[in-house]
Amino acid sequence: MDMGESVSHGSDIYAIDRRLKQGQVKINRKVLFQRIWRRICRRSVPLLPLGATLPSRAMAIWRERPDLQAAFDLATPSGQANLFWWYVRHGFSEMGLQYDPTDDEGLLAANQPHPDIVQASFLPITWLMDQLKDQSPLETGQPFADEERQTLFLAWFFGKGLSQANLDALLS
């Protein structure tokens, strides 16, 4: 199987994984990352909250990683926004980064209420919350649909979500 071969949704992923471990399948991980990330980004082009800036540390990581360079075209606004959200969602947790108040100040804009989400609970849903919603273990397709779901999500977000994403320092 190469990256050009399609895998149906009904494929036995465990069989593919076994063949991969046995060396029977060769996967170009860089190409795989690019394709997966592009699919995620095509679902919806995330916008940035007012005042959000891409930290220089995110740019340095992008310059050192060909997979990120291939996935995020920084010549476009959507490429810059997607790198911003990759840095917030994955950079801190995957790389063990700590919040730097000098360089990462532009990330605090993610704490602004999201303009497209109706507030139904005791706190507004922020841009950051919206970005972390798919990491929540709550079994709802729409975690912001009503007051009960928003309240459950907020409990997870403040109780575990920020810590799991290594983003505790973004609380303001």
Side-chain angles (χ1 to χ4, degrees):
M1 167 194 262
D2 64 25
M3 285 307 300
E5 183 179 335
S6 65
V7 177
S8 73
H9 292 291
S11 296
D12 182 4
I13 193 69
Y14 298 107
I16 294 169
D17 187 50
R18 277 193 303 277
R19 292 187 350 225
L20 177 63
K21 288 178 182 172
Q22 295 169 353
Q24 297 171 349
V25 178
K26 298 199 183 322
I27 294 179
N28 181 332
R29 293 179 193 276
K30 178 181 173 184
V31 172
L32 180 62
F33 177 81
Q34 290 171 349
R35 289 182 181 186
I36 291 171
W37 192 258
R38 284 189 179 140
R39 276 191 193 151
I40 290 169
C41 295
R42 266 192 300 238
R43 288 186 204 149
S44 64
V45 177
L47 301 173
L48 291 176
L50 186 63
T53 57
L54 195 55
S56 60
R57 183 166 53 174
M59 295 293 297
I61 294 167
W62 179 84
R63 281 191 292 275
E64 293 176 6
R65 292 193 42 186
D67 59 328
L68 296 180
Q69 292 172 20
F72 307 118
D73 179 5
L74 297 188
T76 67
S78 65
Q80 294 169 21
N82 288 325
L83 179 60
F84 177 91
W85 291 120
W86 174 88
Y87 182 68
V88 170
R89 293 172 44 99
H90 303 287
F92 282 85
S93 60
E94 290 176 12
M95 304 181 83
L97 301 176
Q98 297 300 313
Y99 177 76
D100 177 355
T102 306
D103 187 43
D104 293 331
E105 185 177 10
L107 300 181
L108 294 177
N111 285 333
Q112 296 175 36
H114 197 292
D116 297 333
I117 300 173
V118 176
Q119 178 180 342
S121 188
F122 55 94
L123 284 175
I125 301 300
T126 67
W127 289 81
L128 179 60
M129 292 173 188
D130 184 49
Q131 285 295 314
L132 295 181
K133 71 182 174 215
D134 64 336
Q135 296 177 14
S136 164
L138 302 176
E139 297 192 20
T140 64
Q142 298 175 325
F144 309 135
D146 55 41
E147 181 180 4
E148 180 182 359
R149 291 181 196 180
Q150 282 189 16
T151 301
L152 288 171
F153 175 83
L154 290 169
W156 168 83
F157 180 80
F158 290 110
K160 294 183 180 175
L162 285 170
S163 295
Q164 289 173 355
N166 199 26
L167 294 172
D168 303 90
L170 287 183
L171 285 176
S172 59

